[in-house]
């Protein structure tokens, strides 16, 4: 390590083949030599956090008057990186000093993508060791021990970019416990450097805390405040480094029958690129996500070079293009594209299939017409936060469409935004089309993440990179053909060879740069690496085997997700399982069984699944639907199944456009007037059981009614009412839809079937389309132009007052006839309003004003209501002018004029 660039442990190395990161503390019952003492293992006292008084001799500068019942004597982390293979050991030791048994939790964060290779635990002299078993075998062994009542559970759970390894044990008074976890990960070069992170989250005070980078806080310095018992140590040790590369042909390392080839050439001219940005602008992108995406795109467009060509496609249920052809990235064109992006207004559904096919068509056509530089690289970057809801909905069909149409010289990269996106689908989509996928979480800075991802793929330096190892003794090479090489990254290839036949490995790399065809040759002797490993005490002599196994298992997992047939998938599964057992690696197909020497006490650790939606098939809003002619959610009545059931029907995204008319809570009506750009709101105070007409359009044959349900009891002398049931009638289609807080019932003529709010489903006929998003929203669309969204609000079942209820959202539209009426329908023909004389109100936070509307002058009050579309729990504030007395003067007549006798009755006007 040549220099330390900043205090938070950021190193740049001019030459590194192996190093370790020690972080030391003080052991009380074992000698640790010069290894590590601070680990990211967190210990928590599950029992009541009682403390007792005692003094601790031998502490310099301070006394600890109170002692936790469970004393954490040491944290120890040893992390060794040998040629990009990081092996990390976490060891922690505790003692139960209390007179009572205590539960101790061992909770360790490890990076996603790392493989656990070993775990052991010693509890008061009894040692538990681990072994890798096929998942069903492991669970059977665990069940046997559980049946005898001698078992403890162990859970490995998934976080954002980390995973938790967690176990809980009961510790007897005076007992000592030691935990030790080993995991492995490959360090990938990104943006010109490697990054190694160790999370420092001890969870409680350590008597001595020391790191080898002049980091040695006393107990007092660790406290979060002078008299606090909590530790302020809660962060990350981050090492950023690079390695010296002298050979353009890369670094070839050979040892013990395995070889690893690292390829990351520098000082090459960038290859011109043809890039299409495909941006999801559906309603769910509204707000901060869209704002940050726009800001990131403006920066990304500024990074384009004059020799690059580009265009922008934005899509919801419709597809738009900034330019139908690829345009040279001149300053004028970039500025025009930025202005186009700034004007995007998210709304509607998500038609991923058509958007990608449009992008592919533009690139294919340009290539077929000879408009592209033959030395250029073609890229598609997809940015989306949702599953398809319009057009083709079957994910496997979208993959097939893309694969059949995309040319082999095009790479597809995907950015999945948010927590609900089907990231596994995006990974499959990108992996089989020469690209990669990355997830961006909504609680982080979207703009910086998007730009960081783009920077990884924005500088192509080589095309059609191929690795060749001529000798027949070389076998099981992981990947030897790569589409493109991007600056700042690294290609890693690993393989096996017979050391009895070879003592050196020859490599030939062919690739195309911006200016020429390259042929790069290199030769590696096994003795070269053996000499280095014998001199470096920290280097892992088994790193070549571990790295080959890691890369091969990852490659097989990717191939398994893309397997074209069930037989191929079974074959790949057997290979992964055998490699997992041979190399002692926990994968999604294996479990880590931890047992005592007698074998009668066991714990079980499973790797997290690759993704909840790992399998191909028809997926709707992330839920699995069997690829059958009748969806699994259909629950028909004894009458014949009605003809409106159709898989792959077109539906709109559940999140409607920003400006809508809505009814929420008890019930609050919020009417958006587009011409005035004002929200006018009013309440309706009525009785449970009454049915209110919301929309009645006899000419179009559309009815929307809502039935009120009462709270469980009055609150402050008033019984609140809510919409507990909504009815939709589309007369020309003879379709009736009843939505309650329990079920969604669809009727077509004499046929009826029901859906539950626990379903995720789509239903359609020629004009009417219905989508149900589990426990959240039902969206109904008519002719792809008129939409209604119904939100479900659940409350605590034992709440003394509140009940479940529904909210309804209707975007303003001119598709109703002039005869449309109802509490909401009358405002589809917008009345003229004039708001003036704004003044302080009785409440300083709620000013008053006068409003002229429909020939009347009303006193109105400005306040806040809630929009729950983007936050179903807390909602977002909506400013509106409130009309008192149940909307009197703003609505036509009296609110009682809008009572109707049945859920599907048209409103009879005087």
């Amino acid at each position: 390590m040549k220099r330390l660039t900043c205090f938070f442990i950021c190193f740049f190395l001019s030459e590194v083949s192996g190093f370790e990161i020690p972080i030391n503390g003080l052991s009380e019952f074992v000698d640790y030599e010069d290894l590590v003492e601070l680990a990211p293992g967190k210990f928590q006292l599950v029992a009541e956090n009682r403390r007792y008084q005692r003094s601790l001799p031998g502490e310099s500068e301070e006394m600890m008057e109170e002692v936790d019942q469970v004393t954490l004597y040491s944290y120890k982390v040893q992390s060794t990186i040998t040629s990009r293979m990081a092996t990390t050991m976490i060891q922690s030791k505790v003692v139960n000093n209390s007179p009572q048994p205590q539960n101790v939790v061992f909770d360790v964060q490890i990076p996603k993508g790392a493989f656990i290779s070993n775990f052991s635990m010693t509890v008061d002299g009894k040692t538990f060791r681990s072994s890798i078993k096929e998942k069903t075998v492991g669970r059977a062994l665990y069940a046997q021990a559980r049946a005898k009542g001698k078992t403890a559970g162990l859970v490995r759970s998934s976080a954002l970019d980390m995973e938790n390894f967690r176990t809980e044990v009961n510790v007897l008074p005076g007992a000592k416990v030691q935990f030790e976890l080993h995991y492995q990960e490959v360090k990938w070069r990104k943006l010109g450097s490697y990054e190694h992170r160790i999370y420092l989250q001890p969870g409680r005070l350590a008597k001595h805390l020391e790191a080898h980078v002049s980091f040695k806080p006393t107990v007092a310095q660790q406290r979060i405040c002078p008299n606090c018992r909590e530790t302020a140590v809660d962060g990350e040790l981050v090492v950023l480094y690079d390695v010296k590369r002298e050979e353009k042909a890369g670094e070839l390392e050979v040892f013990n029958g395995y070889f690893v080839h690292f390829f990351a050439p520098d000082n090459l001219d960038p290859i011109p690129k043809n890039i299409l940005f495909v941006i999801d602008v559906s309603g769910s992108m509204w707000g901060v996500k869209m704002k940050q995406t726009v800001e990131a795109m403006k920066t990304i467009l500024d990074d384009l070079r004059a020799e690059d060509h580009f265009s922008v496609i934005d899509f919801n249920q419709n597809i738009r293009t900034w330019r139908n052809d690829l345009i040279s990235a001149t300053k004028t064109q970039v500025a025009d594209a930025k202005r186009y992006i700034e004007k995007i207004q998210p709304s509607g559904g998500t038609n991923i299939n058509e958007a990608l096919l449009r992008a592919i068509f533009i690139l294919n056509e340009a290539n077929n017409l000879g408009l592209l530089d033959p030395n250029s690289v073609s890229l598609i970057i997809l940015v989306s936060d949702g599953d398809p809801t319009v057009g083709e909905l079957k994910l496997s069909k979208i993959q097939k469409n893309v694969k059949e149409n995309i040319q082999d010289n095009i790479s597809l990269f995907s950015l999945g935004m948010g927590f609900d996106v089907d990231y596994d689908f995006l990974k499959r989509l990108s992996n089989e089309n020469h690209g990669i996928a990355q997830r961006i979480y909504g609680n982080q800075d979207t703009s910086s993440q998007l730009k960081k991802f783009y920077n990884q793929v924005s500088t192509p330096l080589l095309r059609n990179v191929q690795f060749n190892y001529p000798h027949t003794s070389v076998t099981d090479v992981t990947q030897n053909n790569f589409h493109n090489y991007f600056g700042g990254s690294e290609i890693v290839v690993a393989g096996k060879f017979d050391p009895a036949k070879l003592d050196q490995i020859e490599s030939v790399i062919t690739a195309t740069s911006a200016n020429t065809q390259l042929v790069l040759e290199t030769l590696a002797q096994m003795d070269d690496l053996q000499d280095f490993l014998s001199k470096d005490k920290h280097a892992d002599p088994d790193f070549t085997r571990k790295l080959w196994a890691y890369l091969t298992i990852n490659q097989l997992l990717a191939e398994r997700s893309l397997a074209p047939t069930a037989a191929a998938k079974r074959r790949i599964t057997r290979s992964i399982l055998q490699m997992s057992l041979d190399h002692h690696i926990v994968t999604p197909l294996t479990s880590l069984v931890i047992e005592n020497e007698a074998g009668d006490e066991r714990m079980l650790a499973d790797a997290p699944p690759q993704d909840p939606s790992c399998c191909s098939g028809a997926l709707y809003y992330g839920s699995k639907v069997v690829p059958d002619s009748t969806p699994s959610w259909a629950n028909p009545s004894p009458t014949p199944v009605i003809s409106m059931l159709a898989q792959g029907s077109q539906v709109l995204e559940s999140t409607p456009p920003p400006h809508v008319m809505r009814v929420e809570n008890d019930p609050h009506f919020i009417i958006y007037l587009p011409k005035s750009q004002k929200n006018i709101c009013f309440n309706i105070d009525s009785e449970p059981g009454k049915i209110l007409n919301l929309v009645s359009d006899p000419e179009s044959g559309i009815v929307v009614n809502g039935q009120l349900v009462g709270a469980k009891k009055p609150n402050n002398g008033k019984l609140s009412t809510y919409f507990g049931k909504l009815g939709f009638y589309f007369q020309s289609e003879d379709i009736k839809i009843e939505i309650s807080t329990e079920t969604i019932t669809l009727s077509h003529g004499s046929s009826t079937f029901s859906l539950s709010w626990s379903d995720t489903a789509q239903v359609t006929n020629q004009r009417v389309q219905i989508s149900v998003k589990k426990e959240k929203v039902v969206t109904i669309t008519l002719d792809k132009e008129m939409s209604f969204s119904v939100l479900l609000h659940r409350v605590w079942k034992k709440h003394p007052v509140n009940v479940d209820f529904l909210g309804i959202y209707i975007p303003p539209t001119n598709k109703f006839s002039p005869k449309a009426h109802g509490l909401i329908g009358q405002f589809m023909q917008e009345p003229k309003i004039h708001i003036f004389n704004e003044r302080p109100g009785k409440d300083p936070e709620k000013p008053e004003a006068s409003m002229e509307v429909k020939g009347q002058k009303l006193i109105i009050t400005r306040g806040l209501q809630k929009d729950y579309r983007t936050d179903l729990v807390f909602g977002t504030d909506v400013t509106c002018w409130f009309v008192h007395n149940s909307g009197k003067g703003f609505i036509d007549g009296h609110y009682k004029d809008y009572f109707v006798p049945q859920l599907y009755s048209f409103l009879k006007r005087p």
Side-chain angles (χ1 to χ4, degrees):
M1 296 182 186
K2 292 297 181 67
R3 60 191 180 103
L4 177 66
T5 60
C6 58
F7 174 73
F8 80 101
I9 328 287
C10 183
F11 296 98
F12 284 89
L13 308 181
S14 62
E15 183 171 8
V16 171
S17 292
F19 68 89
E20 77 172 350
I21 304 167
I23 310 168
N24 290 346
L26 180 65
S27 166
E28 288 289 319
F29 53 84
V30 72
D31 180 16
Y32 285 153
E33 302 176 341
D34 63 346
L35 294 178
V36 256
E37 282 287 314
L38 180 69
K42 295 184 293 185
F43 288 80
Q44 302 167 356
L45 195 57
V46 178
E48 222 177 43
N49 193 18
R50 301 180 299 271
R51 296 187 176 93
Y52 62 96
Q53 304 283 328
R54 84 176 175 99
S55 60
L56 290 177
E59 288 207 16
S60 61
E61 300 181 1
E62 56 187 303
M63 299 291 290
M64 297 178 68
E65 296 181 354
E66 285 188 313
V67 177
D68 287 340
Q69 295 175 334
V70 176
T71 300
L72 185 56
Y73 275 96
S74 70
Y75 296 98
K76 183 176 182 179
V77 175
Q78 180 175 331
S79 190
T80 302
I81 303 175
T82 306
S83 281
R84 290 76 161 178
M85 189 69 194
T87 301
T88 301
M89 182 272 291
I90 300 173
Q91 184 189 82
S92 299
K93 298 185 178 183
V94 297
V95 173
N96 180 12
N97 292 315
S98 78
Q100 302 294 329
Q102 299 293 335
N103 287 338
V104 175
V105 175
F106 176 59
D107 193 348
V108 177
Q109 282 193 314
I110 66 174
K112 264 194 174 174
F115 285 141
I116 293 175
S117 57
N118 196 18
F119 175 72
S120 63
M121 179 175 68
T122 302
V123 182
D124 204 22
K126 183 186 292 186
T127 299
F128 291 74
R129 303 190 186 280
S130 65
S131 60
I132 303 291
K133 305 289 184 183
E134 192 272 329
K135 185 160 285 189
T136 56
V137 174
R139 288 177 177 171
L141 291 171
Y142 177 72
Q144 291 174 10
R146 187 174 184 178
K148 298 177 182 179
K150 294 184 176 182
T151 183
L154 185 146
V155 179
R156 186 180 177 199
S157 60
S158 181
L160 296 184
D161 53 354
M162 301 292 289
E163 290 165 358
N164 282 5
F165 184 96
R166 185 178 187 274
T167 185
E168 179 180 332
V169 294
N170 188 266
V171 182
L172 296 175
K176 301 175 182 179
V177 185
Q178 174 178 306
F179 302 96
E180 188 168 305
L181 176 71
H182 296 250
Y183 66 86
Q184 301 168 2
E185 59 174 326
V186 171
K187 302 283 96 182
W188 299 105
R189 189 171 185 255
K190 295 181 180 180
L191 301 180
S193 66
Y194 303 87
E195 181 179 278
H196 189 51
R197 290 174 179 261
I198 295 179
Y199 280 72
L200 306 180
Q201 297 172 312
R204 63 171 63 222
L205 296 174
K207 190 166 61 172
H208 289 274
L209 183 60
E210 181 179 353
H212 273 209
V213 194
S214 300
F215 182 61
K216 189 179 180 181
T218 63
V219 172
Q221 291 169 335
Q222 294 174 55
R223 296 182 191 274
I224 200 167
C225 67
N227 297 316
C228 294
R229 300 291 302 171
E230 293 80 17
T231 179
V233 180
D234 185 358
E236 302 172 73
L237 175 68
V238 182
V239 177
L240 294 176
Y241 66 96
D242 201 2
V243 298
K244 185 177 181 180
R245 268 172 291 278
E246 296 180 352
E247 300 291 338
K248 278 194 173 183
E251 180 183 349
L252 185 60
E253 297 179 348
V254 183
F255 192 66
N256 277 352
Y258 298 87
F259 72 87
V260 184
H261 198 164
F262 304 101
F263 184 64
D266 291 325
N267 302 318
L268 294 171
D269 293 331
I271 297 175
K273 59 180 176 288
N274 317 300
I275 185 166
L276 267 169
F277 300 97
V278 183
I279 305 172
D280 182 349
V281 295
S282 62
S284 56
M285 288 286 289
W286 179 52
V288 175
K289 273 195 289 190
M290 192 71 247
K291 181 180 179 181
Q292 291 190 338
T293 299
V294 169
E295 291 305 311
M297 283 302 304
K298 288 162 64 178
T299 303
I300 287 170
L301 291 174
D302 282 334
D303 289 338
L304 293 173
R305 296 183 298 275
E307 61 269 24
D308 296 333
H309 289 76
F310 77 107
S311 188
V312 178
I313 294 175
D314 59 299
F315 70 97
N316 45 30
Q317 69 268 24
N318 301 311
I319 314 300
R320 296 195 314 164
T321 57
W322 167 66
R323 294 287 189 273
N324 290 323
D325 302 309
L326 289 167
I327 303 298
S328 180
T330 64
K331 291 183 179 180
T332 302
Q333 297 293 353
V334 167
D336 188 70
K338 289 161 69 174
R339 287 192 294 269
Y340 175 84
I341 291 171
E342 287 174 341
K343 295 177 181 179
I344 290 175
Q345 293 294 326
S347 65
T350 309
N351 192 341
I352 293 178
N353 183 70
E354 188 176 339
L356 286 175
L357 292 182
R358 180 75 62 85
I360 292 168
F361 174 80
I362 292 174
L363 284 170
N364 287 350
E365 186 179 50
N367 187 54
N368 294 338
L369 294 175
L371 302 178
L372 303 183
D373 183 339
N375 290 323
S376 63
V377 167
S378 295
L379 314 173
I380 296 173
I381 296 183
L382 169 67
V383 181
S384 179
D385 76 332
D387 292 333
T389 61
V390 178
E392 180 57 63
L393 303 179
K394 192 174 182 181
L395 301 186
S396 59
K397 179 63 174 176
I398 296 174
Q399 283 180 249
K400 183 179 179 182
N401 290 344
V402 170
K403 191 63 178 175
E404 288 179 348
N405 287 277
I406 197 168
Q407 294 183 358
D408 195 54
N409 63 341
I410 300 174
S411 296
L412 172 59
F413 298 90
S414 302
L415 271 171
M417 301 179 67
F419 295 87
D420 296 331
V421 66
D422 191 340
Y423 181 56
D424 185 63
F425 163 63
L426 295 182
K427 284 196 296 185
R428 293 197 305 270
L429 197 62
S430 294
N431 287 346
E432 66 180 358
N433 293 292
H434 312 297
I436 59 174
Q438 182 167 313
R439 171 177 277 164
I440 289 180
Y441 296 95
N443 62 345
Q444 301 174 4
D445 182 4
T446 300
S447 180
S448 64
Q449 292 178 84
L450 203 160
K451 286 184 283 189
K452 184 176 180 181
F453 176 79
Y454 173 76
N455 288 338
Q456 294 178 35
V457 301
S458 63
T459 314
L461 300 179
L462 292 173
R463 297 187 299 114
N464 303 324
V465 184
Q466 297 187 15
F467 290 75
N468 184 37
Y469 305 93
H471 202 284
T472 57
S473 178
V474 173
T475 61
D476 298 323
V477 179
T478 50
Q479 291 277 10
N480 58 0
N481 293 317
F482 292 84
H483 200 59
N484 299 311
Y485 166 71
F486 295 90
S489 63
E490 184 173 53
I491 294 176
V492 183
V493 177
K496 298 168 65 177
F497 69 96
D498 185 351
K501 298 179 180 179
L502 284 178
D503 59 2
Q504 63 183 24
I505 295 290
E506 179 185 358
S507 165
V508 179
I509 303 173
T510 60
T512 303
S513 71
N515 303 312
T516 186
Q517 180 76 21
L518 301 179
V519 179
L520 307 172
E521 298 181 5
T522 188
L523 188 69
Q525 304 280 346
M526 190 164 63
D527 293 343
D528 297 340
L529 189 58
Q530 190 167 6
D531 182 60
F532 165 77
L533 292 173
S534 65
K535 295 178 180 178
D536 192 324
K537 69 173 184 178
H538 299 311
D540 181 0
D542 205 22
F543 84 92
T544 51
R545 180 189 65 82
K546 291 178 181 177
L547 190 51
W548 173 82
Y550 181 99
L551 293 172
T552 304
I553 288 176
N554 268 307
Q555 178 180 311
L556 289 171
L557 287 170
E559 291 176 0
R560 182 175 182 267
S561 69
L562 301 174
T565 64
K569 189 169 187 176
R570 286 193 297 270
R571 176 180 55 79
I572 297 170
T573 299
R574 288 194 295 269
S575 299
I576 297 171
L577 179 59
Q578 191 59 51
M579 286 203 64
S580 301
L581 299 176
D582 291 346
H583 297 274
H584 209 268
I585 293 175
V586 180
T587 67
L589 305 179
T590 56
S591 295
L592 190 71
V593 178
I594 302 103
E595 57 187 349
N596 62 356
E597 293 180 358
D600 60 352
E601 294 187 45
R602 295 190 179 106
M603 295 186 296
L604 184 70
D606 283 348
Q610 290 168 274
D611 261 305
S613 55
C614 65
C615 310
S616 62
L619 306 185
Y620 300 93
Y621 290 107
S623 299
K624 294 181 183 177
V625 179
V626 294
D628 194 286
S629 58
T630 304
S632 61
W633 42 260
N635 181 26
S637 65
T639 55
V641 177
I642 61 181
S643 61
M644 47 192 287
L645 280 173
Q647 191 172 6
S649 312
Q650 295 184 354
V651 294
L652 280 179
E653 176 68 65
S654 59
T655 304
H659 301 299
V660 296
M661 300 182 183
R662 58 184 76 88
V663 187
E664 281 285 8
N665 291 315
D666 57 342
H668 303 313
F669 286 71
I670 308 174
I671 306 299
Y672 176 70
L673 303 177
K675 295 178 182 177
S676 305
Q677 296 187 341
K678 300 290 185 184
N679 284 306
I680 309 298
C681 53
F682 57 93
N683 295 348
I684 296 292
D685 296 321
S686 189
E687 304 168 12
K690 294 293 185 181
I691 301 175
L692 293 170
N693 175 253
L694 305 180
V695 178
S696 178
D697 189 353
E699 189 169 307
S700 301
I702 298 173
V703 168
V704 183
N705 293 326
Q707 186 171 28
L708 297 173
V709 62
K712 295 176 182 176
K713 63 180 181 181
N715 188 23
N716 296 326
K718 178 192 173 186
L719 182 68
S720 296
T721 56
Y722 309 83
F723 279 136
K725 188 180 294 183
L726 291 166
F728 298 81
Y729 180 33
F730 301 96
Q731 190 177 40
S732 63
E733 302 298 306
D734 195 17
I735 292 176
K736 296 176 180 178
I737 305 168
E738 179 184 306
I739 302 176
S740 72
T741 56
E742 300 299 327
T743 59
I744 301 100
T745 303
L746 294 86
S747 301
H748 184 234
S750 60
S751 300
T752 303
F753 74 94
S754 297
L755 302 172
S756 166
W757 277 102
S758 61
D759 293 317
T760 292
Q762 278 77 30
V763 178
T764 188
N765 82 334
Q766 291 181 349
R767 295 184 63 206
V768 180
Q769 302 135 359
I770 306 104
S771 75
V772 182
K773 191 169 183 180
K774 182 178 179 180
E775 293 295 327
K776 290 184 179 179
V777 63
V778 173
T779 303
I780 302 169
T781 62
L782 180 66
D783 293 331
K784 307 177 188 178
E785 297 176 332
M786 186 185 300
S787 68
F788 309 87
S789 295
V790 178
L791 268 63
L792 174 65
H793 295 273
R794 293 283 192 212
V795 301
W796 181 42
K797 291 187 179 298
K798 295 183 180 180
H799 195 285
V801 177
N802 296 341
V803 294
D804 294 347
F805 66 97
L806 304 172
I808 181 170
Y809 294 75
I810 308 175
T813 177
N814 59 4
K815 301 303 178 182
F816 289 103
S817 78
K819 294 184 178 180
H821 210 265
L823 286 168
I824 293 177
Q826 63 186 287
F827 298 105
M828 296 301 172
Q829 306 295 323
E830 182 175 339
K832 292 183 179 180
I833 66 169
H834 176 48
I835 298 175
F836 60 98
N837 192 22
E838 185 173 337
R839 54 196 179 271
K842 296 179 182 178
D843 185 338
E845 296 183 2
K846 296 181 179 180
E848 290 182 353
S850 299
M851 180 173 73
E852 291 179 349
V853 59
K854 297 181 179 179
Q856 303 200 47
K857 183 177 178 180
L858 309 175
I859 304 299
I860 55 177
T861 305
R862 191 166 66 195
L864 294 176
Q865 295 292 349
K866 291 290 186 181
D867 183 333
Y868 292 95
R869 291 172 297 164
T870 56
D871 188 336
L872 196 57
V873 178
F874 300 105
T876 55
D877 290 334
V878 176
T879 302
C880 69
W881 287 102
F882 183 78
V883 179
H884 302 273
N885 300 321
S886 297
K888 185 177 179 180
F890 181 62
I891 63 174
D892 294 340
H894 193 274
Y895 82 86
K896 291 185 179 180
D897 298 337
Y898 296 87
F899 288 166
V900 292
Q902 304 294 332
L903 196 60
Y904 304 110
S905 298
F906 283 87
L907 178 65
K908 292 183 179 180
R909 298 184 61 189

